[in-house]
Amino acid sequence: MHRYLLHNGKIHDAGEKLLTAGQVGLLNGWGVFSTLQVRGGALFAFNRHWARMNRDAALVHVPMPPDPDEIHSQLLELVQVNAAFDATLRVVIVRNRGGMWEGPNLARDWDVLAFTTDLKDWGNSLRLAVAPQARHSGCRFAGAKILAWAANLALLEEAQTRGYDEVILLNDKQQVSECTSANIFVASGDRVWTPPLSSGCLPGVTRELLLRDVSVPDISIGERELTLKDLEQADAVFVTSSTRNLLPVAEIEGLEVRQSETVYRRLWQAFQDYLEDYIRKADKRAPGAPKDL
């Protein structure tokens, strides 16, 4: 984490004591968050991230700040202060009130926190473990990005202790759902598939961009139920996230996977072009950001 953070519209040193145990969202994981990519001082796909946070907040009854433009400006101020013009940014909304453990003298219904950190080098490919019964496809809260994230962190830590980078989460139907912090895609010929939201996966922003906005001639991208056998039979497997963009999979626990890069490379380039065009056209950037990517 960089030196400064944002807390309720003000910039603070990251070592300051700003939170209290009586904020019920802190003790119960009652809040929502999103992780954004900062490029050239601009917040990539901010509106899509904010829209998803609002959907998830409504689902789990977390009050949200009413003015996204104000939050956007505050996040750009944080980027400026940390000189985090090419970085990763996390924004969190914590619910403060509700239940018998609500603390006294709370001034607001929510707290807004945001942090930046350096971009992570994810390497050239990923090795994936497999975790069965890790998503409940029929749960009404499946796919919500909420602060109660410990199960994902535990599964990831277990996979990493066994030498893997990430873990594929299977649902209650033994279908592929997602990874702990990434969506998963397969390429077969000129068709590219990702599990539907009914699998229990999170509607990632990069996933949404590939499905709706990023187009490549002669390549079709859609949703389909997938099994481990489908991953093994595919020409290539790759994951997507706001921190990884697109990253190929080199190994999956217990499977023999192929690594044809033909379709993947075209999609990767198309996404890079989309991202760079978005940043070039961004009308709001952190002051002091370089003009060129």
Side-chain angles (χ1 to χ4, degrees), residues 174 176 224 226-234 255-256:
Q174 295 302 302
V176 174
R224 197 188 81 184
L226 297 174
T227 65
L228 290 176
K229 184 177 181 180
D230 293 320
L231 270 57
E232 191 168 39
Q233 293 179 341
L255 303 182
E256 293 184 9

Side-chain angles (χ1 to χ4, degrees), residues 243-261:
T243 56
R244 299 175 180 91
N245 294 338
L246 282 67
L247 193 61
V249 173
E251 180 181 340
I252 298 176
E253 180 181 13
L255 303 182
E256 293 184 9
V257 294
R258 303 169 187 167
Q259 288 184 278
S260 173
E261 294 193 354

Side-chain angles (χ1 to χ4, degrees), residues 57-167:
L59 181 66
V60 295
H61 309 158
V62 172
M64 287 284 287
D67 187 354
D69 291 335
E70 181 179 21
I71 300 298
H72 189 268
S73 296
Q74 293 170 0
L75 295 177
L76 290 180
E77 181 183 1
L78 175 66
V79 169
Q80 177 192 13
V81 171
N82 280 331
F85 303 122
D86 291 285
T88 300
L89 183 150
R90 174 161 291 183
V91 57
V92 178
I93 312 295
V94 178
R95 175 169 168 162
N96 285 343
R97 294 192 169 101
M100 63 185 293
W101 301 114
E102 178 185 320
N105 303 319
L106 292 172
R108 55 200 305 147
D109 292 336
W110 66 81
D111 266 22
V112 179
L113 300 104
F115 326 88
T116 60
T117 191
D118 294 337
L119 293 170
K120 181 174 179 177
D121 182 2
W122 295 97
N124 297 320
S125 61
L126 291 174
R127 302 177 68 237
L128 303 182
V130 177
Q133 295 292 329
R135 286 290 181 266
H136 178 194
S137 61
C139 176
R140 60 180 290 211
F141 301 111
K145 196 163 187 175
I146 58 176
L147 292 183
W149 205 249
N152 281 346
L153 294 175
L155 289 167
L156 177 62
E157 189 171 69
E158 290 169 5
Q160 291 176 340
T161 61
R162 298 194 293 121
Y164 293 96
D165 303 302
E166 248 282 15
V167 52

Side-chain angles (χ1 to χ4, degrees), residues 39 57 67 74 81 95 129 132 211 219-220 233 249 251 268 277 279 283:
R39 288 288 306 275
D67 187 354
Q74 293 170 0
V81 171
R95 175 169 168 162
L211 285 171
I219 295 178
S220 172
Q233 293 179 341
V249 173
E251 180 181 340
W268 181 90
D277 185 61
I279 299 303
D283 57 352

